[in-house]
Structures are given as C-alpha cells and as structure tokens.
Amino acid sequence: MNPDIQSREDIQTLVDVFYSRAIKDDTIGYFFTDTMQLSLEEHLPRIYDFWESILFHKSLYKGNVMLKHIELNRLAKISDQQIDHWLFLWEQSVDQLFQGEFAAEAKHRASLMTQLMKFKLSQSSELGFIQ
Ligand code: HEM
C-alpha cells in the first residue's frame, strides 16, 4: 500500500514523475520541449508551489494558471483530448506513488482544473474575449 502525500518532498516526487512522463509523451510532450522550451529548473519549483498551495493551503503560488495556458494555446492549440490526456498522466502518476485523502484531492482538483481549462480555452478563442 502506498503512503499519502504528506509533505513538499512528496509533491516534488509526484511532480517530477509526472513531468518525466509528460515531457516524453507523444501527445503533449512538444508543448514543454518545442512550444515553450522550458527550463525545468525554473519551471518545476513553481509547480511544487502550485500543488503545495492547493493541497496544504499555503499561499506560495502567485501566478495565473489559466492565463498561462490561454497564452500557450495561442502559440499552439491545446485540444480537449490533450487536456484529458494530461489528466490521465497526472492520475497515473498519483496512483503509482500515493494513496489516501491528499492523493484523492490531488486528482479531484486536477480534474476540476482541466474542466475549467477546456472552458477558458474555448472562450478565449471567441471574439472579444477578455480574461
Ligand atoms: C494539455 C494540457 C497542458 C499542457 C500541454 C500544459 C503545458 C504547460 C506549459 C508548456 C507550461 C509553461 C508555460 C509558461 O511558462 O509560459 C505550463 C505551466 C503550468 N501548468 Fe500546464 N499544461 C497543461 C495543463 C495543465 C493543468 C490542467 C494544470 C493544473 C491542474 C496545469 C498547471 C500548470 C501550472 C501551475 C503552470 C505554471 C504557470 C506559471 O508559471 O505561473 N497545466 N503548462
């Protein structure tokens, strides 16, 4: 039986496993390597902050996650299927490593954000959209 997510170190482990998959993934990998050419050293700590803020109610993440993806979607279109696949990789990473209340919350909150993201991206393609 896997342990639950209990600390920032656990979040780091989870996010690192997820990103190692996402970056190599045939369906969504190119967003991280070609569209954005991310420096993981800079990017990953923001993702750790993001999940620590959500799961442990800290106020570490100060960005605007939806706006970031609206901008990304303008550079290279993100489809609903790709968002579903992102969620699949996230759930797979959580399940591989963790089990319990926080693990369930990590999957639930990600699922809600994928729904919001699909809606925001479709809205942002409409004329006159204001974030
Ligand atoms: C197909 C789906 C997705 C793709 C391809 C994707 C890709 C990316 C990329 C390339 C960035 C870097 C953007 C930049 O630095 O300008 C990014 C940032 C980020 N993504 Fe995603 N993402 C997806 C879905 C999601 C979802 C559903 C969430 C939330 C649960 C999420 C959370 C984040 C966060 C927190 C950041 C950091 C934003 C910041 O720097 O403030 N992503 N994503």
Side-chain angles (χ1 to χ4, degrees):
M1 183 173 156
N2 284 331
D4 203 355
I5 303 169
Q6 284 165 325
S7 61
R8 183 173 177 92
E9 287 68 40
D10 289 343
I11 289 175
Q12 286 173 351
T13 306
L14 169 59
V15 169
D16 290 354
V17 164
F18 169 75
Y19 269 85
S20 68
R21 284 207 177 122
I23 280 170
K24 280 185 282 172
D25 187 81
D26 289 343
T27 316
I28 62 168
Y30 64 91
F31 288 106
F32 302 95
T33 53
D34 296 352
T35 315
M36 288 310 294
Q37 297 170 353
L38 283 184
S39 149
L40 287 184
E41 271 169 44
E42 286 170 29
H43 179 68
L44 290 182
R46 283 207 294 279
I47 307 296
Y48 306 148
D49 284 351
F50 177 76
W51 282 106
E52 208 181 340
S53 301
I54 289 175
L55 294 179
F56 303 141
H57 308 291
K58 302 259 178 75
S59 47
L60 299 169
Y61 177 72
K62 310 282 186 206
N64 183 331
V65 65
M66 290 301 152
L67 187 56
K68 279 275 174 192
H69 295 82
I70 288 169
E71 287 164 359
L72 180 61
N73 185 52
R74 288 201 176 114
L75 294 175
K77 184 103 190 67
I78 308 173
S79 69
D80 285 359
Q81 289 73 19
Q82 285 173 311
I83 295 177
D84 288 340
H85 190 65
W86 183 104
L87 182 63
F88 169 75
L89 294 179
W90 178 254
E91 290 174 344
Q92 197 182 51
S93 306
V94 174
D95 288 340
Q96 184 195 324
L97 295 161
F98 298 105
Q99 193 173 3
E101 197 185 318
F102 287 99
E105 183 70 358
K107 291 187 285 181
H108 177 60
R109 295 294 293 268
S111 167
L112 293 179
M113 282 182 283
T114 59
Q115 290 171 39
L116 182 63
M117 196 172 281
K118 286 180 193 174
F119 176 71
K120 288 274 185 187
L121 295 188
S122 73
Q123 286 249 306
S124 71
S125 318
E126 285 173 19
L127 209 59
F129 173 80
I130 300 165
Q131 160 70 23

PDB file of all heavy atoms in Angstrom, residues 58-76:
ATOM      1  N   LYS A  58      -1.336  26.630   1.396  1.00  0.00           N
ATOM      2  CA  LYS A  58      -0.294  27.651   1.563  1.00  0.00           C
ATOM      3  C   LYS A  58      -0.534  28.714   0.496  1.00  0.00           C
ATOM      4  O   LYS A  58      -1.176  28.455  -0.511  1.00  0.00           O
ATOM      5  CB  LYS A  58       1.082  27.026   1.334  1.00  0.00           C
ATOM      6  CG  LYS A  58       1.421  25.856   2.240  1.00  0.00           C
ATOM      7  CD  LYS A  58       2.325  26.305   3.359  1.00  0.00           C
ATOM      8  CE  LYS A  58       2.652  25.202   4.324  1.00  0.00           C
ATOM      9  NZ  LYS A  58       3.623  24.239   3.806  1.00  0.00           N
ATOM     10  N   SER A  59       0.031  29.924   0.689  1.00  0.00           N
ATOM     11  CA  SER A  59      -0.102  30.874  -0.419  1.00  0.00           C
ATOM     12  C   SER A  59       1.257  31.107  -1.055  1.00  0.00           C
ATOM     13  O   SER A  59       1.844  32.174  -0.948  1.00  0.00           O
ATOM     14  CB  SER A  59      -0.775  32.178   0.009  1.00  0.00           C
ATOM     15  OG  SER A  59      -0.213  32.636   1.184  1.00  0.00           O
ATOM     16  N   LEU A  60       1.751  30.082  -1.710  1.00  0.00           N
ATOM     17  CA  LEU A  60       3.076  30.134  -2.329  1.00  0.00           C
ATOM     18  C   LEU A  60       2.989  30.478  -3.812  1.00  0.00           C
ATOM     19  O   LEU A  60       3.822  31.197  -4.344  1.00  0.00           O
ATOM     20  CB  LEU A  60       3.759  28.766  -2.183  1.00  0.00           C
ATOM     21  CG  LEU A  60       4.000  28.277  -0.756  1.00  0.00           C
ATOM     22  CD1 LEU A  60       4.426  26.825  -0.746  1.00  0.00           C
ATOM     23  CD2 LEU A  60       5.056  29.151  -0.104  1.00  0.00           C
ATOM     24  N   TYR A  61       1.963  29.952  -4.488  1.00  0.00           N
ATOM     25  CA  TYR A  61       1.842  30.176  -5.934  1.00  0.00           C
ATOM     26  C   TYR A  61       1.111  31.487  -6.190  1.00  0.00           C
ATOM     27  O   TYR A  61      -0.008  31.682  -5.720  1.00  0.00           O
ATOM     28  CB  TYR A  61       1.089  29.017  -6.596  1.00  0.00           C
ATOM     29  CG  TYR A  61       0.878  29.246  -8.073  1.00  0.00           C
ATOM     30  CD1 TYR A  61       1.949  29.160  -8.964  1.00  0.00           C
ATOM     31  CD2 TYR A  61      -0.377  29.592  -8.573  1.00  0.00           C
ATOM     32  CE1 TYR A  61       1.765  29.403 -10.315  1.00  0.00           C
ATOM     33  CE2 TYR A  61      -0.564  29.830  -9.922  1.00  0.00           C
ATOM     34  CZ  TYR A  61       0.514  29.732 -10.789  1.00  0.00           C
ATOM     35  OH  TYR A  61       0.333  29.986 -12.134  1.00  0.00           O
ATOM     36  N   LYS A  62       1.772  32.384  -6.933  1.00  0.00           N
ATOM     37  CA  LYS A  62       1.200  33.714  -7.169  1.00  0.00           C
ATOM     38  C   LYS A  62       0.779  33.938  -8.619  1.00  0.00           C
ATOM     39  O   LYS A  62       0.405  35.037  -8.980  1.00  0.00           O
ATOM     40  CB  LYS A  62       2.229  34.818  -6.804  1.00  0.00           C
ATOM     41  CG  LYS A  62       2.871  34.658  -5.443  1.00  0.00           C
ATOM     42  CD  LYS A  62       1.943  35.122  -4.326  1.00  0.00           C
ATOM     43  CE  LYS A  62       2.674  35.087  -2.989  1.00  0.00           C
ATOM     44  NZ  LYS A  62       1.788  34.919  -1.857  1.00  0.00           N
ATOM     45  N   GLY A  63       0.920  32.928  -9.449  1.00  0.00           N
ATOM     46  CA  GLY A  63       0.675  33.134 -10.882  1.00  0.00           C
ATOM     47  C   GLY A  63      -0.792  33.043 -11.263  1.00  0.00           C
ATOM     48  O   GLY A  63      -1.676  32.962 -10.412  1.00  0.00           O
ATOM     49  N   ASN A  64      -1.032  33.091 -12.562  1.00  0.00           N
ATOM     50  CA  ASN A  64      -2.390  32.941 -13.101  1.00  0.00           C
ATOM     51  C   ASN A  64      -2.362  31.765 -14.081  1.00  0.00           C
ATOM     52  O   ASN A  64      -1.987  31.906 -15.243  1.00  0.00           O
ATOM     53  CB  ASN A  64      -2.819  34.230 -13.805  1.00  0.00           C
ATOM     54  CG  ASN A  64      -4.249  34.149 -14.312  1.00  0.00           C
ATOM     55  OD1 ASN A  64      -4.749  33.066 -14.638  1.00  0.00           O
ATOM     56  ND2 ASN A  64      -4.908  35.289 -14.382  1.00  0.00           N
ATOM     57  N   VAL A  65      -2.730  30.602 -13.551  1.00  0.00           N
ATOM     58  CA  VAL A  65      -2.545  29.373 -14.312  1.00  0.00           C
ATOM     59  C   VAL A  65      -3.391  29.343 -15.589  1.00  0.00           C
ATOM     60  O   VAL A  65      -2.922  28.893 -16.641  1.00  0.00           O
ATOM     61  CB  VAL A  65      -2.776  28.137 -13.409  1.00  0.00           C
ATOM     62  CG1 VAL A  65      -4.185  28.029 -12.929  1.00  0.00           C
ATOM     63  CG2 VAL A  65      -2.356  26.877 -14.091  1.00  0.00           C
ATOM     64  N   MET A  66      -4.609  29.871 -15.524  1.00  0.00           N
ATOM     65  CA  MET A  66      -5.465  29.832 -16.723  1.00  0.00           C
ATOM     66  C   MET A  66      -4.901  30.750 -17.816  1.00  0.00           C
ATOM     67  O   MET A  66      -4.841  30.376 -18.981  1.00  0.00           O
ATOM     68  CB  MET A  66      -6.915  30.198 -16.377  1.00  0.00           C
ATOM     69  CG  MET A  66      -7.614  29.131 -15.554  1.00  0.00           C
ATOM     70  SD  MET A  66      -7.667  27.504 -16.386  1.00  0.00           S
ATOM     71  CE  MET A  66      -7.712  26.386 -14.986  1.00  0.00           C
ATOM     72  N   LEU A  67      -4.481  31.950 -17.400  1.00  0.00           N
ATOM     73  CA  LEU A  67      -3.922  32.888 -18.390  1.00  0.00           C
ATOM     74  C   LEU A  67      -2.672  32.293 -19.076  1.00  0.00           C
ATOM     75  O   LEU A  67      -2.502  32.427 -20.289  1.00  0.00           O
ATOM     76  CB  LEU A  67      -3.587  34.221 -17.713  1.00  0.00           C
ATOM     77  CG  LEU A  67      -3.151  35.355 -18.631  1.00  0.00           C
ATOM     78  CD1 LEU A  67      -4.189  35.646 -19.706  1.00  0.00           C
ATOM     79  CD2 LEU A  67      -2.874  36.623 -17.818  1.00  0.00           C
ATOM     80  N   LYS A  68      -1.837  31.622 -18.296  1.00  0.00           N
ATOM     81  CA  LYS A  68      -0.636  30.971 -18.874  1.00  0.00           C
ATOM     82  C   LYS A  68      -1.025  30.002 -19.997  1.00  0.00           C
ATOM     83  O   LYS A  68      -0.355  29.924 -21.026  1.00  0.00           O
ATOM     84  CB  LYS A  68       0.104  30.154 -17.805  1.00  0.00           C
ATOM     85  CG  LYS A  68       1.001  30.953 -16.914  1.00  0.00           C
ATOM     86  CD  LYS A  68       2.361  31.141 -17.540  1.00  0.00           C
ATOM     87  CE  LYS A  68       3.181  32.082 -16.663  1.00  0.00           C
ATOM     88  NZ  LYS A  68       4.389  32.558 -17.288  1.00  0.00           N
ATOM     89  N   HIS A  69      -2.100  29.248 -19.760  1.00  0.00           N
ATOM     90  CA  HIS A  69      -2.491  28.254 -20.757  1.00  0.00           C
ATOM     91  C   HIS A  69      -3.261  28.878 -21.916  1.00  0.00           C
ATOM     92  O   HIS A  69      -3.244  28.344 -23.022  1.00  0.00           O
ATOM     93  CB  HIS A  69      -3.240  27.099 -20.091  1.00  0.00           C
ATOM     94  CG  HIS A  69      -2.351  26.331 -19.155  1.00  0.00           C
ATOM     95  ND1 HIS A  69      -2.099  26.745 -17.884  1.00  0.00           N
ATOM     96  CD2 HIS A  69      -1.603  25.204 -19.333  1.00  0.00           C
ATOM     97  CE1 HIS A  69      -1.240  25.907 -17.301  1.00  0.00           C
ATOM     98  NE2 HIS A  69      -0.931  24.957 -18.167  1.00  0.00           N
ATOM     99  N   ILE A  70      -3.925  30.009 -21.666  1.00  0.00           N
ATOM    100  CA  ILE A  70      -4.552  30.745 -22.777  1.00  0.00           C
ATOM    101  C   ILE A  70      -3.443  31.251 -23.716  1.00  0.00           C
ATOM    102  O   ILE A  70      -3.534  31.131 -24.941  1.00  0.00           O
ATOM    103  CB  ILE A  70      -5.420  31.912 -22.238  1.00  0.00           C
ATOM    104  CG1 ILE A  70      -6.690  31.345 -21.576  1.00  0.00           C
ATOM    105  CG2 ILE A  70      -5.782  32.896 -23.342  1.00  0.00           C
ATOM    106  CD1 ILE A  70      -7.493  32.353 -20.777  1.00  0.00           C
ATOM    107  N   GLU A  71      -2.363  31.755 -23.112  1.00  0.00           N
ATOM    108  CA  GLU A  71      -1.232  32.232 -23.932  1.00  0.00           C
ATOM    109  C   GLU A  71      -0.570  31.069 -24.676  1.00  0.00           C
ATOM    110  O   GLU A  71      -0.229  31.191 -25.860  1.00  0.00           O
ATOM    111  CB  GLU A  71      -0.206  32.943 -23.020  1.00  0.00           C
ATOM    112  CG  GLU A  71      -0.703  34.306 -22.567  1.00  0.00           C
ATOM    113  CD  GLU A  71       0.087  34.881 -21.373  1.00  0.00           C
ATOM    114  OE1 GLU A  71       1.021  34.224 -20.878  1.00  0.00           O
ATOM    115  OE2 GLU A  71      -0.269  35.991 -20.945  1.00  0.00           O
ATOM    116  N   LEU A  72      -0.422  29.960 -23.969  1.00  0.00           N
ATOM    117  CA  LEU A  72       0.170  28.765 -24.604  1.00  0.00           C
ATOM    118  C   LEU A  72      -0.702  28.289 -25.769  1.00  0.00           C
ATOM    119  O   LEU A  72      -0.199  27.963 -26.852  1.00  0.00           O
ATOM    120  CB  LEU A  72       0.303  27.659 -23.541  1.00  0.00           C
ATOM    121  CG  LEU A  72       0.886  26.316 -23.972  1.00  0.00           C
ATOM    122  CD1 LEU A  72       2.315  26.475 -24.491  1.00  0.00           C
ATOM    123  CD2 LEU A  72       0.866  25.319 -22.806  1.00  0.00           C
ATOM    124  N   ASN A  73      -2.011  28.292 -25.550  1.00  0.00           N
ATOM    125  CA  ASN A  73      -2.978  27.856 -26.567  1.00  0.00           C
ATOM    126  C   ASN A  73      -2.936  28.750 -27.816  1.00  0.00           C
ATOM    127  O   ASN A  73      -3.238  28.299 -28.920  1.00  0.00           O
ATOM    128  CB  ASN A  73      -4.381  27.890 -25.940  1.00  0.00           C
ATOM    129  CG  ASN A  73      -5.457  27.345 -26.840  1.00  0.00           C
ATOM    130  OD1 ASN A  73      -5.349  26.241 -27.359  1.00  0.00           O
ATOM    131  ND2 ASN A  73      -6.508  28.123 -27.038  1.00  0.00           N
ATOM    132  N   ARG A  74      -2.528  30.023 -27.609  1.00  0.00           N
ATOM    133  CA  ARG A  74      -2.393  30.921 -28.766  1.00  0.00           C
ATOM    134  C   ARG A  74      -1.160  30.566 -29.582  1.00  0.00           C
ATOM    135  O   ARG A  74      -1.147  30.741 -30.796  1.00  0.00           O
ATOM    136  CB  ARG A  74      -2.309  32.380 -28.298  1.00  0.00           C
ATOM    137  CG  ARG A  74      -3.646  32.859 -27.791  1.00  0.00           C
ATOM    138  CD  ARG A  74      -3.785  34.373 -27.803  1.00  0.00           C
ATOM    139  NE  ARG A  74      -5.137  34.700 -27.393  1.00  0.00           N
ATOM    140  CZ  ARG A  74      -5.455  35.340 -26.259  1.00  0.00           C
ATOM    141  NH1 ARG A  74      -4.512  35.788 -25.460  1.00  0.00           N
ATOM    142  NH2 ARG A  74      -6.715  35.573 -25.961  1.00  0.00           N
ATOM    143  N   LEU A  75      -0.132  30.061 -28.905  1.00  0.00           N
ATOM    144  CA  LEU A  75       1.097  29.667 -29.616  1.00  0.00           C
ATOM    145  C   LEU A  75       0.912  28.331 -30.326  1.00  0.00           C
ATOM    146  O   LEU A  75       1.389  28.132 -31.435  1.00  0.00           O
ATOM    147  CB  LEU A  75       2.261  29.546 -28.630  1.00  0.00           C
ATOM    148  CG  LEU A  75       2.736  30.822 -27.946  1.00  0.00           C
ATOM    149  CD1 LEU A  75       3.811  30.500 -26.923  1.00  0.00           C
ATOM    150  CD2 LEU A  75       3.292  31.808 -28.979  1.00  0.00           C
ATOM    151  N   ALA A  76       0.254  27.418 -29.655  1.00  0.00           N
ATOM    152  CA  ALA A  76      -0.006  26.077 -30.217  1.00  0.00           C
ATOM    153  C   ALA A  76      -1.294  25.567 -29.595  1.00  0.00           C
ATOM    154  O   ALA A  76      -1.378  25.430 -28.375  1.00  0.00           O
ATOM    155  CB  ALA A  76       1.154  25.143 -29.884  1.00  0.00           C
TER     156      ALA A  76
END
